[in-house]
Amino acid sequence: MDIEKIYKAANAYLEGHFLLSSGKHSRFYLQSAKVLEDPKVAAKLADELAKLINGANIKAGSVCAPALGGILAGYELARALELRSIFTERVDGKMALRRGFSIAKGEKFIICEDIITTGGSALESARIITELGGEVVAFAALANRGFCVRYGSNKSAKPTCKLPNDIPFFALEDFEFEVFEPSECPMCKNGSKAIKPGSRGN
Ligand code: ZN
């Protein structure tokens, strides 16, 4: 499955001059909400991710996604694996489990995101699950930005990856984009201004 082609066809693989949440600038940005806009495409991607997880013989009872970005991917993955789907969300900046979702003691979870950059939100979700008595058996995402290492890859994780290295991480593709400090950004040097993705119709 050509994930890059699917992202490009959905206008989810953006080219321009972007200000990332890290404060750095990039020529490219993945807008996963666009690839998940078509439920048929979302189902196809989740089915493929489920195949990887089943292929590694991972057994879980539930999928948990950090809101907002992970919810659609997590829900579709749960459908594909025939598991329960829940999500955590931020309350005053802190990740929490709300809405009456409960966790059984020893219940096994897959934490699912749309994209894993450093895995910070996924890790926060995982901490809540374990604090409440669950067990995290895998992390999953449609796309990996190349800071963490996906299952089956022989690359090594960057120091900024926050995912634990003793729990497998499944993703469909690596997208490693060069990022720049604003002071060293070649697009800035050419006089263009970085925009926040999602802020101007992208
Ligand atoms: Zn720039």
Side-chain angles (χ1 to χ4, degrees):
M1 187 179 266
D2 190 335
I3 305 302
E4 185 175 320
K5 202 169 151 193
I6 291 171
Y7 266 73
K8 283 183 170 162
N11 292 320
Y13 189 125
L14 308 178
E15 188 171 357
H17 182 191
F18 301 105
L19 170 61
L20 308 177
S21 54
S22 61
K24 292 184 176 163
H25 293 188
S26 171
R27 195 183 295 280
F28 301 101
Y29 187 79
L30 296 178
Q31 183 58 276
S32 280
K34 286 291 292 175
V35 89
L36 298 169
E37 194 175 47
D38 181 343
K40 286 200 188 98
V41 175
K44 211 161 86 174
L45 293 169
D47 286 346
E48 195 70 13
L49 192 54
K51 252 189 250 169
L52 296 178
I53 293 168
N54 281 331
N57 210 20
I58 299 288
K59 304 280 181 223
S62 296
V63 175
C64 179
L68 188 69
I71 290 182
L72 293 176
Y75 192 86
E76 278 297 327
L77 180 64
R79 181 201 49 75
L81 290 169
E82 298 184 3
L83 302 177
R84 179 171 79 114
S85 174
I86 65 171
F87 57 89
T88 57
E89 59 198 294
R90 285 188 196 283
V91 182
D92 298 328
K94 200 174 173 295
M95 202 65 91
L97 188 70
R98 301 180 74 195
R99 301 175 196 265
F101 293 141
S102 63
I103 290 169
K105 194 164 170 46
E107 186 177 356
K108 291 182 165 59
F109 277 86
I110 298 166
I111 308 290
C112 185
E113 264 281 22
D114 53 353
I115 296 179
I116 291 281
T117 305
T118 61
S121 298
L123 183 67
E124 282 180 70
S125 270
R127 282 197 183 129
I128 296 199
I129 297 299
T130 48
E131 272 167 28
L132 295 171
E135 184 193 346
V136 175
V137 294
F139 290 90
L142 301 177
N144 174 34
R145 283 291 320 283
F147 295 90
C148 299
V149 180
R150 61 195 175 111
Y151 181 81
S153 166
N154 53 15
K155 293 179 179 167
S156 47
K158 305 240 162 77
T160 43
C161 175
K162 295 191 177 103
L163 297 185
N165 55 19
D166 57 343
I167 299 176
F169 162 43
F170 298 88
L172 297 175
E173 188 64 90
D174 290 327
F175 289 92
E176 292 184 51
F177 303 145
E178 202 177 351
V179 294
F180 307 98
E181 293 296 340
S183 59
E184 289 160 12
C185 172
M187 285 93 75
C188 283
K189 281 180 183 152
N190 283 338
S192 97
K193 195 170 172 337
I195 59 162
K196 232 174 151 176
S199 63
R200 296 197 193 160
N202 50 29

